[in-house]
């Protein structure tokens, strides 16, 4: 994983972003952060987390349909992404996430193996990485769980994906879940949300702003 530093090699502020490719809300946030990258002096660094791992301690409390999804579909894309990362390096994470998310969410294909295979082909990765989707004893399980733990340890267990971490003024990282937003803001609206998010996240003792979601993920501007 990239070392957690106050600046990247390009001199920009690093923004560490933990995602599960299955989550449509994380996808929305990731597209917003990439828009912020155009208008603020930041550089996004991608990391993997897993909804399946996150929910392991509370499986018995979940609805049957969600528990079944976590036991099957949720593992497949994140395993393929982890294997690609381990075999081909950090630089594949961003492009592969974009290719997967575009198919899963924007194109409405869902997290099918066909969509995963198409994403691998688009970014020039070996087709046989798809074999990791159903690997019973996942070869890179320790690396997946370590990446997940690194992100979740920054914010606590009572969150989801994405987790974002940025350097704070005191040298410590500011980390938070979200923001959950739809559609993904563009241009100056993206910058305003970024500036405001950092402002509230930097306040000691600040934990939460929330209101009821009245709309689902809107991918129409992506």
């Amino acid at each position: 994983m990239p070392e957690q530093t106050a600046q990247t090699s390009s001199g920009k502020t690093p923004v560490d972003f933990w995602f599960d490719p299955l989550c449509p809300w994380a996808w929305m946030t990731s597209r917003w952060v990439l828009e912020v990258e155009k208008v603020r002096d930041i550089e996004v660094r991608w990391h993997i987390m897993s909804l399946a791992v996150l929910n392991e301690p509370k499986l018995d409390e979940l609805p049957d349909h969600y528990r079944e999804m976590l036991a099957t579909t949720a593992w497949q894309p994140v395993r393929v992404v982890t294997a690609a990362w381990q075999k081909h390096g950090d630089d594949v994470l961003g492009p592969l996430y974009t290719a997967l998310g575009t198919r899963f969410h924007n194109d409405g294909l869902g997290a099918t193996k066909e969509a995963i295979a198409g994403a691998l082909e688009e970014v020039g990765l070996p087709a046989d990485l798809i074999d990791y989707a159903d690997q019973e004893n996942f070869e890179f399980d320790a690396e997946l769980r370590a990446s997940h733990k690194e992100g979740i340890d920054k914010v606590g267990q009572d969150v989801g994906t994405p987790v974002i971490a940025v350097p704070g003024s005191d040298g410590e990282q500011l980390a938070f879940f979200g923001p959950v937003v739809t559609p993904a803001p563009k241009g100056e609206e993206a910058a305003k949300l970024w500036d405001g998010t950092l402002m509230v996240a930097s306040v000691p003792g600040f934990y939460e702003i929330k209101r009821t979601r009245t709309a689902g993920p809107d991918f129409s501007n992506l």
Side-chain angles (χ1 to χ4, degrees), residues 50 70 91 103 114 124 137 144 149-150 183:
S50 166
L70 290 172
D91 290 346
R103 285 167 172 77
E114 291 77 14
N137 296 303
L144 167 58
K149 184 177 186 300
E150 183 187 20

Side-chain angles (χ1 to χ4, degrees), residues 80-81 84-85 92-101 116 119-120 123 125 129:
V80 172
V81 174
W85 164 47
V92 305
L93 285 173
L96 182 54
Y97 182 28
T98 292
L100 288 167
I116 297 170
L120 291 171
V123 298
L125 286 168
L129 284 170

